[in-house]
Amino acid sequence: DVDFNLDGSMAASRSKDGTIRIWNADTGEQIEVIRMCGLTAATASQARFTPDGRHIIAINGNGTCCVLRLNLEPNKRPTN
């Protein structure tokens, strides 16, 4: 399951190691790894960008959610 931000420059994926990974959609470069707050990739059913692209919402299969702020370094932000 992969989600893209509104301009399509970044993708978010869940990983089996309990992280959410943010990718540059154009180059495939991993640009951030997020450790989730009490959820694991095995229990998080979705990882979605907020409309402003500054946060990820991780949603558990039981409806529990966690809002995670992206801390992208300026030189790692895609420039679309």
Side-chain angles (χ1 to χ4, degrees):
D1 186 30
V2 175
D3 188 50
F4 291 88
N5 66 338
L6 284 180
D7 70 5
S9 64
M10 292 186 290
S13 66
R14 296 174 295 123
S15 297
K16 291 181 181 179
D17 65 359
T19 62
I20 292 175
R21 296 176 186 267
I22 308 300
W23 306 89
N24 180 313
D26 291 329
T27 66
E29 176 188 10
Q30 179 179 291
I31 54 179
E32 186 168 358
V33 177
I34 302 168
R35 304 263 177 238
M36 296 191 288
C37 53
L39 300 175
T40 66
T43 62
S45 60
Q46 298 180 40
R48 299 287 181 246
F49 282 96
T50 57
D52 66 6
R54 295 180 182 182
H55 299 83
I56 292 287
I57 299 173
I59 304 166
N60 193 333
N62 68 6
T64 305
C65 67
C66 180
V67 179
L68 308 160
R69 181 175 40 192
L70 296 176
N71 293 310
L72 300 177
E73 298 174 26
N75 64 334
K76 296 255 181 169
R77 290 183 184 274
T79 56
N80 282 10

